[in-house]
Amino acid sequence: LLKPLHRNVANYYVRFTMPVLRKTIYSLERNGTYIDMTAMPEVRNDVEVGMSKAEEAALKLIPRKVREAHRSDLKLTRSDLVRDTLFSRKGFGIEPLRKTKGGDAWSVDKETRMLLQEKEGVPQEAVEFIRYFDEYSEYHTLWSRYLKGFDKHIKSDGRIHSSFSMTTAVTGRLASSNPNMQNNPKR
């Protein structure tokens, strides 16, 4: 398989790659990650309740004129609603800080929101809106990325058996897929 000219590569393959594949990666895939299904309903409920409370509090702080303009689709997942709430005359009228990477709209990313909270002259209601919006975003991310999709990956042994690969990540690190278990938060 490996030509004699590549003795160093063959040595690396035999002494490092194969033992790692045999022992570590095989063990990770076989053992999987245990998911406590008895705790899952409580965790889901806590996240959904937290998300709902933060959403309700944020929506109450949106100025009436913005709420009326977005009446048909009043969802915090829409950046244009957040943009209007923070920057438009109908909203809090805050001076925008920067454009999005595409340059077509004012940025409302996490870093921008953090800077707006510290900016002088920003109304207290806007700071509260940002705080509740950030809380909602964290809960929504937990729910949509992790909790919502876990069930379909849990096997009969109560574990998620991800696939790991040493060759698919461009950085040379170990990659995980179906699902990617390396992105899960500690909590």
Side-chain angles (χ1 to χ4, degrees), residues 21-75:
L21 285 172
R22 261 195 322 262
K23 294 176 185 169
T24 310
I25 294 177
Y26 173 74
S27 177
L28 286 169
E29 288 179 349
R30 186 191 67 221
N31 293 334
T33 303
Y34 177 71
I35 304 297
D36 185 354
M37 289 307 293
T38 59
M40 188 61 81
E42 184 180 341
V43 170
R44 272 198 184 110
N45 184 58
D46 290 349
V47 169
E48 287 172 359
V49 166
M51 183 171 60
S52 179
K53 284 181 178 178
E55 180 182 36
E56 186 179 320
L59 289 173
K60 281 182 181 176
L61 290 167
I62 294 175
R64 183 181 47 81
K65 289 182 179 180
V66 173
R67 227 178 301 137
E68 288 171 0
H70 292 270
R71 181 178 324 143
S72 63
D73 204 12
L74 197 63
K75 295 178 184 170

Side-chain angles (χ1 to χ4, degrees), residues 86-122:
L86 295 174
F87 306 131
S88 76
R89 288 186 179 149
K90 295 179 281 188
F92 295 117
I94 302 169
E95 184 71 32
L97 299 178
R98 60 179 171 221
K99 294 269 189 170
T100 59
K101 288 182 182 175
D104 56 342
W106 294 112
S107 176
V108 289
D109 66 0
K110 193 171 189 170
E111 184 181 343
T112 301
R113 293 190 314 266
M114 186 180 74
L115 293 171
L116 287 172
Q117 285 179 304
E118 297 168 358
K119 187 177 176 182
E120 213 168 294
V122 173

